[in-house]
Amino acid sequence: MIIMDRKILALTLGAVAWACDRDVAEGRATMDRREAPASPVVLFLGTSLTAGYGLPVEQAYPNLLGARIDSLGLPYRVVNAGVSGETSAGGLRRIDWLLRQPVAVLVLELGANDGLRGLDIETMAANLQEIVNRTRAAHPDVAIIVAGMEAPPNMGDRFTAQFRAVFADVARANDATLIPFLLEGVAADPALNQADAIHPTAEGQRIVAETVWTYLEPILAARAASDTVPDREVRG
């Protein structure tokens, strides 16, 4: 009877050990899935131009670029954070929440609505700078692309010149990449804009995507290459 009890005890302990090992393995697998690093993000923070106003979201230029990035097998995920009517102040209010993601590149497309509304240029510049500051504080290795815009001509030559200069100044002060004019080749062309003469058509968005890709692609290629270069052995 004692021998049988020992056999039962051994079998019981073995089953418990197997169950513990299984639970540990499953726990590790769950932890691995939970703690797997998310893909680095290309964050597009912008206005209705970025949101793709009037079009299916997949036709907005950030989403077109996301499809291209996927097709090239680059290890990045695009987040389209464009909001219609957004100002630089609105973008500043949203940026902290957006920075919870592993942002590798920020494409900053804000200011168009500030210009349309004739808002204070110095305040706009300060807002853009603070967005950059917070982004760099959260992600020190982030690359910044500043998308330049033009003010409506009815705002006057002085306002137009000062407005245009803000984007170049912010880019220069932060060692960021400048797109001189996001809507190059699209603005003022009726064939490439919707009936409001402001928002690009699907074809206009494709042209904007090509413009942005000219500046974004070298950054992604360089970062992807540096992330995959193996460590070299240090030799004495």
Side-chain angles (χ1 to χ4, degrees), residues 66-193:
R68 179 175 292 190
I69 288 169
D70 290 343
S71 71
L72 294 173
L74 293 171
Y76 298 95
R77 176 170 56 92
V78 162
V79 172
N80 185 340
V83 172
S84 294
E86 188 70 294
T87 62
S88 61
L92 178 57
R93 285 192 292 271
R94 289 194 293 134
I95 190 61
D96 289 339
W97 182 81
L98 293 167
L99 292 175
R100 296 176 182 180
Q101 307 167 95
V103 178
V105 182
L106 170 66
V107 181
L108 181 56
E109 182 274 300
L110 287 173
N113 289 311
D114 296 66
L116 286 172
R117 300 177 189 182
L119 301 180
D120 182 70
I121 292 178
E122 291 185 1
T123 300
M124 181 185 80
N127 290 337
L128 296 178
Q129 181 60 56
E130 183 60 19
I131 289 171
V132 173
N133 291 345
R134 294 187 188 185
T135 302
R136 286 250 168 91
H139 305 286
D141 295 330
V142 70
I144 307 286
I145 298 177
V146 178
M149 290 299 300
E150 294 286 343
N154 63 337
M155 300 303 295
D157 292 343
R158 181 182 179 190
F159 183 94
T160 299
Q162 291 177 338
F163 180 87
R164 181 188 302 121
V166 166
F167 304 99
D169 290 345
V170 170
R172 187 182 308 110
N174 295 282
D175 194 26
T177 298
L178 173 68
I179 301 173
F181 183 34
L182 180 71
L183 299 178
E184 185 67 40
V186 175
D189 186 338
L192 297 174
N193 288 276

Side-chain angles (χ1 to χ4, degrees), residues 22-45:
R22 181 197 60 192
D23 290 344
V24 169
E26 290 180 353
R28 285 175 180 168
T30 301
M31 184 177 296
D32 289 344
R33 287 195 298 271
R34 186 174 61 248
E35 296 183 355
S39 299
V41 166
V42 180
L43 174 63
F44 290 83
L45 177 62

